[in-house]
Amino acid sequence: MRSFAIGSAGTMLLLACGMLAGVAHASDNPEQARGAAAPAQIVASLDPRARERALAQGLSSRLLVLVNQYRERNGLQPLRVADDLAALAAQHSAAMSARGRASHDGFMDRFDRAGSRICVENVAVNFPHAEALLDGWRGSAEHHRNLLEPQVTRVGLASSKKYVTFFACG
């Protein structure tokens, strides 16, 4: 038997669809998003597309650290990044950005392509940094449940502009 869950949350609005899911937004502050790993002047000097990629990568990295710390504090194993799930998350974040709205459109396709018995998804939009995004997910029962799903072991995290996708499977 295969299980799945989806849901979404925004800065001003929380929505839950299905069993598990959430939404987040990339930081406008590269030092906060990356945990001060990249000097602001270097990121600011990049062309707009390179800057967006650097910010998205920093947000995803910081968010993964925070999620894994949270899981460990709750007696769960950390999630490991899976390239196939990261690609699915990146495609979904880009699609949400192109449409200009957060959604779980195409979740069943991602679930099928993952080939897993269980997958959960959280999406986000308009959060100022990874810490705020995690706090938003923790404040929503459906998203929180996804973060602490004990059966998931692998994750893909990606952001495009202000849209973030957390797609985890077991």
Side-chain angles (χ1 to χ4, degrees):
M1 177 177 201
R2 295 173 69 196
S3 302
F4 66 90
I6 58 172
S8 61
T11 303
M12 303 302 291
L13 173 68
L14 290 176
L15 302 171
C17 301
M19 301 169 73
L20 303 172
V23 175
H25 158 35
S27 174
D28 293 331
N29 182 335
E31 290 185 351
Q32 274 186 316
R34 296 194 55 138
Q41 66 272 18
I42 292 173
V43 173
S45 71
L46 298 173
D47 71 71
R49 285 189 175 177
R51 181 177 187 274
E52 181 183 322
R53 284 190 303 273
L55 290 172
Q57 207 170 27
L59 174 74
S60 296
S61 296
R62 178 71 180 141
L63 185 57
L64 178 62
V65 167
L66 293 172
V67 166
N68 278 339
Q69 288 173 346
Y70 186 62
R71 285 177 60 87
E72 287 176 329
R73 282 194 307 270
N74 283 276
L76 298 169
Q77 292 296 312
L79 300 172
R80 62 180 164 68
V81 175
D83 291 340
D84 59 333
L85 301 183
L88 293 169
Q91 291 167 2
H92 185 57
S93 290
M96 289 189 298
S97 179
R99 286 190 304 269
R101 66 179 179 83
S103 76
H104 293 285
D105 295 351
F107 175 80
M108 289 307 299
D109 180 58
R110 287 186 293 285
F111 180 56
D112 290 341
R113 290 171 60 193
S116 297
R117 59 183 179 75
I118 183 171
C119 290
V120 298
E121 179 175 89
N122 285 355
V123 299
V125 63
N126 289 334
F127 281 84
H129 49 77
E131 290 80 2
L133 194 166
L134 181 61
D135 286 346
W137 282 344
R138 288 175 47 195
S140 163
E142 295 83 5
H143 301 104
H144 187 247
R145 187 170 54 237
N146 284 345
L147 292 172
L148 298 180
E149 172 54 56
Q151 295 181 61
V152 298
T153 58
R154 304 176 310 124
V155 68
L157 269 166
S159 64
S160 179
K161 296 183 181 172
K162 59 184 180 176
Y163 298 89
V164 178
T165 302
F166 166 93
F167 186 66
C169 300

